[in-house]
Amino acid sequence: MDLEVTKAITESWFARLQENLCFDAAIVGTGPSGLIAAVKLADAGYKVSMFESKLAPGGGMWGGAMLFSSIAVQNEAVYLLDELEIPYKRYNENLVVCDSVLATSALIYQASKRGVVIHNGMSVEDVVFMDNRVSGVVVNWGPVVREGLHVDPLSFRAKIVVDATGHPCMISETAARKNNITLNTPTGKVCGECSLNAVEGEAMTVENTKEIYPGLYVCGMAANGVFGSPRMGPIFGGMLLSGEKVAKLIIEELK
Ligand code: 48F
């Protein structure tokens, strides 16, 4: 029995890996913006793989704010909660609130059930850069990277890479630094996020969602980090709308 279990797990895991070495979109980071992008791309028929360095996908949504497990979403994004069957309660005329654990697990479920491959415990440490285009991701085990072990990574090829890594905007920063490229940002590099301004931060996270170099898009808090816009605190409408926008832009490019 024990060997049967070992065989079942390793055979199915490696079979899925072999089938998913090349895909349409690699989304790095499984926070709310990346998960919505994955759902929308999968709905449009695209093959998507997500990479998450931590054990649990979901990014910064599980903990609500200061571990009060509740998140606020403004009216403009409530239609996405409805579409994805995420329950909420109306707080006032502008805001609804969701249980952060329920909302996060629902987003993960909606992406997974559409066939999005979510690699948890895998950290993207670099991009594949060919012919002046970001063309894939370079991946290692999350614990290997955290331990600083000297272990070479593996690569995956993608037509589009999305930096959905949140505050550190790590993929954009690495791609710009290692390849000495000029990003489509005010400084040509990663500008770094500004201090909290909820109204501006929410608006800018959607505005900043775009392609910043051939093959490389940014969404969610990474978009604000790259463009030097404010953080917004525990309001999540902008994250959801940013994820939807990046999917629309990618669909436009790929079709
Ligand atoms: O930060 P995160 O939730 O991204 P987001 O979609 O949402 C931001 C909000 O949660 C919140 C906010 C809104 O009020 O400001 O912070 O922009 O999720 C980012 C995910 O990316 C993972 C990280 O562990 C987290 O789960 N991540 C970061 N770097 C890497 C990575 C990497 N190099 N490889 C794989 N995953």
Side-chain angles (χ1 to χ4, degrees):
M1 180 67 170
D2 55 328
L3 286 184
E4 218 178 352
V5 171
T6 305
K7 236 167 143 302
I9 289 172
T10 50
E11 273 178 22
S12 60
W13 193 86
F14 280 106
R16 188 181 75 155
L17 191 70
Q18 290 286 330
E19 284 161 18
N20 290 284
L21 299 179
C22 301
F23 24 86
D24 296 308
I27 301 179
V28 188
T30 59
S33 65
L35 284 166
I36 288 274
V39 163
K40 294 287 172 182
L41 286 166
D43 277 345
Y46 292 102
K47 196 170 169 183
V48 182
S49 282
M50 301 189 81
F51 297 88
E52 171 53 55
S53 57
K54 301 206 171 118
L55 183 58
M61 211 154 92
W62 291 110
M66 259 188 84
L67 295 181
F68 302 132
S69 57
S70 193
I71 58 162
V73 176
Q74 58 276 52
N75 285 346
E76 292 87 324
V78 166
Y79 71 95
L80 287 167
L81 301 177
D82 287 327
E83 263 180 50
L84 297 177
E85 297 175 34
I86 299 175
Y88 55 84
K89 283 195 183 132
R90 179 146 295 282
Y91 176 69
N92 64 17
E93 67 277 16
N94 303 318
L95 291 178
V96 302
V97 286
C98 305
D99 179 291
S100 65
V101 173
L102 181 51
T104 310
S105 51
L107 266 181
I108 297 165
Y109 173 68
Q110 293 291 356
S112 300
K113 83 166 183 183
R114 285 166 166 81
V116 171
V117 176
I118 302 182
H119 292 293
N120 59 335
M122 283 199 198
S123 193
V124 175
E125 57 173 66
D126 200 353
V127 296
V128 178
F129 191 76
M130 294 168 68
D131 304 325
N132 285 318
R133 188 176 173 90
V134 173
S135 308
V137 287
V138 177
V139 175
N140 216 325
W141 296 113
V144 164
V145 173
R146 276 194 293 280
E147 281 289 309
L149 303 182
H150 191 163
V151 178
D152 269 326
L154 288 171
S155 60
F156 295 81
R157 296 291 281 277
K159 292 177 189 154
I160 302 289
V161 174
V162 181
D163 184 349
T165 60
H167 297 267
C169 37
M170 180 272 172
I171 301 304
S172 308
E173 193 280 321
T174 304
R177 175 172 42 80
K178 286 203 166 182
N179 303 295
N180 200 23
I181 54 178
T182 304
L183 303 176
N184 175 26
T185 66
T187 59
K189 297 284 172 201
V190 169
C191 300
E193 74 182 36
C194 298
S195 296
L196 192 144
N197 177 333
V199 173
E200 200 185 322
E202 279 294 275
M204 291 314 293
T205 195
V206 181
E207 169 71 24
N208 293 333
T209 296
K210 53 183 83 159
E211 191 173 35
I212 57 166
Y213 194 80
L216 178 61
Y217 286 71
V218 286
C219 70
M221 196 56 222
N224 279 10
V226 163
F227 280 93
S229 298
R231 67 186 306 179
M232 70 290 292
I235 180 157
F236 281 78
M239 293 300 131
L240 307 181
L241 294 169
S242 166
E244 185 186 45
K245 179 179 172 186
V246 82
K248 274 190 188 149
L249 295 173
I250 293 168
I251 291 165
E252 200 51 44
E253 176 168 343
L254 292 181
K255 80 181 176 198

